Amino acid sequence: MFEIRRRRWAGAPIGGALLAPLALLAASAACAQGVPPPPARAASAPAAAASAPIQRVEVTGGRASDAEERRRATAAKIVIGRDEIERMGDSNTLEILKRLPGITVPGPGGRGGAPRMRGMAGNYTQILLDGERIPPGFSLDSIPPEQIERIEILRAPTAETGARAIAGTINIVLREGFRKRLNDVNLGLQSRHGRTSGNLGWTRNDTVGDWILNGSLSLFQWRSDSASRSTRSDVDLASGDTVLERSGTWRSEDDRRGLHASARLQWRDDAGRSLMLMPLVIHNEGTNRGWGTQSQSLGSEPLEFARSDSRTDGRFTLLRLNANAAHRMGPARLEWRAGVGDGRWRSDTRRLEFDAADVPSRTIDETTDNRDRNASLGLKASWVLGEGHSLVSGLEVERNRRSEAKATLWDGTPQLEEFGTNLAASARRWAAYAQDEWTAGAHWAFHAGLRVEGIATTGEGANGVVDRNTSRVATPLLHAVWKPDPARRDQVRASLTRSYRSPNLNQLIGRPTLNRVDPAPGSNTELTADSAGNPGLRPEVALGLDLAFERYLAEGGVLSANLFHRRIRDVIRNVVALEDVSWSPAQPRYVARPRNIGNGTSQGLELEAKFRLDQAADGAPPVEVRANASLLRSRVDTVPGPDNRVAEQPGGTFNLGADYRVRGTPLGLGGNVNRTPGYTTRLEADRWWVQSGKTLIDAYLLWTFSPEAKLRLSVGNALAADFTSTTQVASQGLLASNRSVTRNFVDTQLRLELKL
């Protein structure tokens, strides 16, 4: 890849630049239809040609470093390359993400859920795989780190990457096909609580004629244990007396196996035409066995069961094919993008419950078959208008459909028959955007865009009732970079953006999930509420402001401070309310359902430092230091404070890591400390959710036999501290608290890395 830079800048007004795509598309179409372009003016005389100023052209080869790519980007972007991805020898992608600036992974160490930017739960974070949104049900921990080329973190949206990113965007780019031979093999053994797992990864890169072929294959078998204990206590608010005490235990064994295969087949010619095919196959299957107990020391409420025994067999398969094609048409470069995907998740669960005399009291059989299908098509046109000035516009269409087939039998009796066995939700989306990026001399760079999206959703409820919702969101976006002294490599960034968060299809399907503690028909409590979707949800829309200072050091180091503010309209939150429901005709029940509850605000300060210690202090050892911290604050206007946070956002996060190569030896070592303090979230006026603090310590030793062979020993979650969460509900004169403590374990991994 080559980059050509001219020393002359030709600018254009922002208003004209945003309108220019329509005119240029028309010009490009005219050229395609054979309409000749205006004739070029011939030189008036050889002397005139001789006197024309000579333009200086610089040609540089190779891909820019991660720090340089970040510095050049007008919209704030952090790039994490192969060196940092491989550094700790992580066994899954979530372990890498938890250490990156502004990203947290919820839940116990080593078993977190979807990554969050700025601590915001739900789908406030847009997650892309090769620039495409990941399908529902897809977990990032199914992507082996050896298949990732780089990770891009965008703190503010752009017109091209999409505006469904109130908190930000994480784009995971799989291994790319360069004209370089590559044949890497990774063998790993992992131990967790005495259970051993294994994985094999292979990455191959080669060329065949004009084609560049890149393929990655990973096979794994994962065995793990989980253990938790819970306590339930009800306190009379008037007297302060405890009226109910209940405890329980849960233990499970999880055995999973699967494969992950991806490939890139890329063709280019000298005329700038290219074609790329990107197939992806993921298949996971496994069995989970679980054992539970319950006991009650105070109170007269009946127990759901005294002992339970369950088994779940499940499998997940994702097939995806993306295709990109590019060519020139007149002054424009056109890029076509198409993709189809089909994901299916099926599970069969049988649960046996026993009473205090160990007599079977209930049998629950549940079969779930969910399928998500999607198709997308996009066209992007780009123009180079002058030195440091480019223009991009595009159109996108996308369709997603989710179908749910679910059958639940209690002692052989079907439940929720009025919903049928099949429900579906679908979403159709179209988008048009224009984006203008230009460099105004050595001190200023600007990036302006406008994206308009239309969304139409449908969701099924009881008795075949279908709800439809249509919305349109216009998102203007403006980014600017100011370099006070370009020679010193300091710069200030500012972004003013509009973004949104649309409901996912699972939230739109009205099928409920019944609480087994207080089964229907009959009454339940706020702590034992059923759950259901809401087909009438509206998207959240946010107005955002980002302001950052960055200083780029030698050897790829960086110091940065970033302030952000988001004002969010139509916040979506699960609300527990008493409803008249079809599955309990004679008795209203409490149901947790997502609703638009009002407006909210999220803001914070993000700090980051990456440098080598001997650059900061003379005579210090060459230790690579990485540190980042976030201070976060948020509130929902319609929920009384304190702790009325948006999306369970913590008060802050902290990371500190270091790496050192022992001079004169083949030994390298490093470690990382990750800390998220505990916090309380007030979900409603009478409901709270409390999470304990979490400290994770990871370390590794790397022995380099040769550039082609390395052996790595990694220890994850070294403290193995228990993880605690508590739900509290004040209702009917009682404060009910349900506390869960999840046991944690140390993860140990031995990994052989070969380059053949």
Side-chain angles (χ1 to χ4, degrees):
M1 181 181 296
F2 294 94
E3 179 188 11
I4 300 178
R5 299 188 225 164
R6 293 189 177 181
R7 294 300 187 187
R8 185 184 64 181
W9 175 76
I14 176 62
L18 287 176
L19 295 176
L22 298 178
L24 289 173
L25 278 173
S28 301
C31 290
Q33 296 172 4
V35 178
R41 287 187 294 180
S44 59
S51 62
I54 298 176
Q55 296 183 3
R56 179 181 175 183
V57 178
E58 293 182 1
V59 179
T60 60
R63 179 177 173 267
S65 66
D66 298 338
E68 187 64 18
E69 188 173 344
R70 172 178 177 174
R71 188 179 75 90
R72 292 179 186 176
T74 309
K77 180 170 69 172
I78 300 173
V79 181
I80 309 299
R82 284 297 308 167
D83 289 344
E84 195 158 343
I85 291 171
E86 294 176 341
R87 191 186 305 273
M88 297 292 294
D90 298 295
S91 59
N92 68 72
T93 303
L94 291 176
E95 293 297 294
I96 300 172
L97 292 173
K98 75 182 182 184
R99 293 186 288 268
L100 302 185
I103 297 179
T104 57
V105 176
R111 287 173 289 163
R116 307 171 178 179
M117 288 188 65
R118 293 161 172 168
M120 301 176 72
N123 55 339
Y124 283 93
T125 300
Q126 177 176 239
I127 300 177
L128 307 177
L129 184 63
D130 287 329
E132 298 279 351
R133 288 178 64 86
I134 63 171
F138 179 79
S139 177
L140 290 181
D141 64 2
S142 66
I143 303 178
E146 57 266 20
Q147 294 196 2
I148 300 174
E149 181 65 31
R150 66 183 183 276
I151 300 172
E152 299 173 346
I153 302 172
L154 288 80
R155 286 175 166 159
T158 67
E160 184 177 352
T161 58
R164 286 182 285 180
I166 291 178
T169 297
I170 301 172
N171 183 29
I172 296 177
V173 180
L174 300 181
R175 296 296 288 264
E176 295 179 333
F178 298 110
R179 292 187 178 274
K180 172 185 175 183
R181 292 187 181 274
L182 191 70
N183 196 17
D184 293 353
V185 175
N186 293 304
L187 300 171
L189 289 176
Q190 188 169 7
S191 176
R192 191 169 192 265
H193 195 222
R195 305 195 74 195
T196 302
S197 305
N199 60 79
L200 166 65
W202 176 53
T203 300
R204 173 76 176 180
N205 191 67
D206 211 335
T207 59
V208 178
D210 292 333
W211 287 87
I212 304 173
L213 307 179
N214 178 276
S216 293
L217 174 67
S218 296
L219 303 173
F220 74 89
Q221 185 172 29
W222 171 255
R223 298 185 178 97
S224 67
D225 292 349
S226 295
S228 64
R229 62 185 186 275
S230 63
T231 56
R232 161 85 181 271
S233 63
D234 292 0
V235 177
D236 188 291
L237 291 173
S239 65
D241 296 334
T242 301
V243 297
L244 176 69
E245 285 187 348
R246 181 182 293 173
S247 62
T249 63
W250 177 256
R251 182 175 65 86
S252 68
E253 295 179 354
D254 194 23
D255 292 297
R256 288 189 295 156
R257 54 204 170 273
L259 67 87
H260 185 296
S262 65
R264 288 178 182 244
L265 293 81
Q266 186 173 353
W267 170 84
R268 289 195 184 105
D269 67 4
D270 295 337
R273 294 177 297 180
S274 66
L275 174 65
M276 183 185 297
L277 301 176
M278 295 171 287
L280 174 68
V281 177
I282 296 176
H283 179 78
N284 301 326
E285 59 182 45
T287 299
N288 180 277
R289 291 290 308 272
W291 301 269
T293 65
Q294 276 190 343
S295 62
Q296 189 164 289
S297 58
L298 180 64
S300 57
E301 292 187 16
L303 283 171
E304 179 192 5
F305 61 88
R307 181 175 70 85
S308 69
D309 186 342
S310 65
R311 175 188 173 113
T312 299
D313 296 294
R315 61 174 56 195
F316 172 78
T317 302
L318 173 66
L319 304 176
R320 195 188 76 175
L321 176 62
N322 285 354
N324 292 346
H327 62 95
R328 299 204 65 85
M329 182 178 291
R333 178 174 176 81
L334 299 184
E335 297 182 34
W336 301 83
R337 185 175 64 187
V340 292
D342 191 341
R344 189 168 186 176
W345 179 75
R346 180 182 173 89
S347 70
D348 296 284
T349 299
R350 163 153 262 216
R351 177 185 173 94
L352 303 176
E353 296 178 351
F354 303 84
D355 61 17
D358 211 31
V359 175
S361 58
R362 182 169 58 179
T363 300
I364 300 175
D365 293 287
E366 190 168 88
T367 299
T368 302
D369 192 346
N370 295 341
R371 189 173 185 182
D372 291 283
R373 286 168 288 179
N374 60 82
S376 62
L377 180 65
L379 169 63
K380 182 177 76 172
S382 56
W383 298 263
V384 176
L385 304 181
E387 172 59 19
H389 191 186
S390 62
L391 186 65
V392 174
S393 67
L395 298 171
E396 298 173 358
V397 292
E398 178 184 356
R399 180 176 174 83
N400 298 281
R401 180 173 177 81
R402 179 181 179 88
S403 59
E404 290 188 358
K406 186 173 184 178
T408 303
L409 303 176
W410 289 7
D411 293 326
T413 303
Q415 304 294 303
L416 301 171
E417 290 185 282
E418 68 272 22
F419 287 85
T421 57
N422 295 283
L423 289 181
S426 64
R428 297 187 304 275
R429 183 181 65 87
W430 62 266
Y433 64 87
Q435 182 171 292
D436 193 349
E437 187 170 356
W438 72 104
T439 303
H443 294 276
W444 286 96
F446 299 95
H447 180 128
L450 176 64
R451 186 180 180 96
V452 180
E453 297 198 21
I455 309 165
T457 61
T458 60
E460 291 187 47
N463 301 316
V465 176
V466 177
D467 286 298
R468 292 178 171 83
N469 195 347
T470 302
S471 60
R472 187 172 64 185
V473 181
T475 53
L477 309 158
L478 179 63
H479 307 271
V481 176
W482 175 51
K483 302 176 182 179
D485 183 358
R488 295 192 58 184
R489 300 170 64 84
D490 294 346
Q491 57 190 34
V492 178
R493 296 183 181 274
S495 298
L496 181 62
T497 59
R498 199 165 185 251
S499 54
Y500 76 98
R501 173 198 183 209
S502 60
N504 60 51
L505 295 184
N506 191 50
Q507 292 176 304
L508 298 173
I509 293 179
R511 183 199 302 275
T513 299
L514 303 188
N515 187 280
R516 294 194 302 262
V517 176
D518 291 325
S523 63
N524 62 350
T525 68
E526 289 191 62
L527 206 62
T528 60
D530 302 330
S531 60
N534 180 3
L537 284 177
R538 300 183 303 275
E540 300 180 29
V541 179
L543 182 65
L545 176 65
D546 292 77
L547 184 64
F549 170 78
E550 298 173 343
R551 168 166 291 181
Y552 290 87
L553 310 175
E555 306 293 335
V558 63
L559 304 174
S560 74
N562 184 82
L563 285 166
F564 75 91
H565 177 88
R566 297 288 186 272
R567 181 60 178 168
I568 308 171
R569 189 185 71 205
D570 285 334
V571 171
I572 297 174
R573 173 164 289 179
N574 279 344
V575 175
V576 178
L578 196 63
E579 299 182 10
D580 293 320
V581 293
S582 60
W583 56 92
S584 181
Q587 177 68 55
R589 287 180 64 85
Y590 284 99
V591 179
R593 197 184 296 271
R595 302 179 188 273
N596 298 102
I597 63 171
N599 301 332
T601 301
S602 175
Q603 56 197 3
L605 170 65
E606 299 168 309
L607 305 173
E608 181 190 1
K610 185 190 297 184
F611 58 92
R612 213 171 64 197
L613 200 58
D614 57 349
Q615 296 174 325
D618 293 338
V623 176
E624 299 282 350
V625 178
R626 309 174 311 279
N628 59 77
S630 301
L631 300 175
L632 308 169
R633 294 292 182 270
S634 61
R635 74 173 190 274
V636 177
D637 297 348
T638 54
V639 177
D643 302 320
N644 51 345
R645 307 170 188 269
V646 172
E648 302 169 11
Q649 187 180 55
T653 63
F654 174 76
N655 265 294
L656 177 62
D659 306 278
Y660 178 61
R661 178 72 179 267
V662 182
R663 292 179 177 176
T665 73
L667 180 64
L669 66 158
N672 191 88
V673 178
N674 175 278
R675 172 67 180 170
T676 302
Y679 61 96
T680 298
T681 301
R682 192 168 190 174
L683 302 172
E684 297 180 67
D686 58 355
R687 281 199 307 136
W688 296 264
W689 186 77
V690 184
Q691 178 177 300
S692 65
K694 181 170 63 174
T695 301
L696 305 176
I697 297 179
D698 305 327
Y700 73 91
L701 291 173
L702 178 65
W703 190 273
T704 303
F705 298 100
S706 69
E708 293 77 29
K710 300 177 182 179
L711 184 65
R712 185 188 304 269
L713 175 65
S714 304
V715 177
N717 194 28
L719 294 181
D722 291 346
F723 179 79
T724 302
S725 62
T726 304
T727 301
Q728 295 180 324
V729 176
S731 177
Q732 300 175 339
L734 297 176
L735 178 63
S737 300
N738 198 343
R739 183 172 183 263
S740 175
V741 180
T742 302
R743 187 179 176 189
N744 246 328
F745 304 104
V746 178
D747 294 326
T748 305
Q749 181 180 209
L750 186 64
R751 182 172 174 178
L752 179 63
E753 303 169 3
L754 302 174
K755 296 183 182 297
L756 305 179

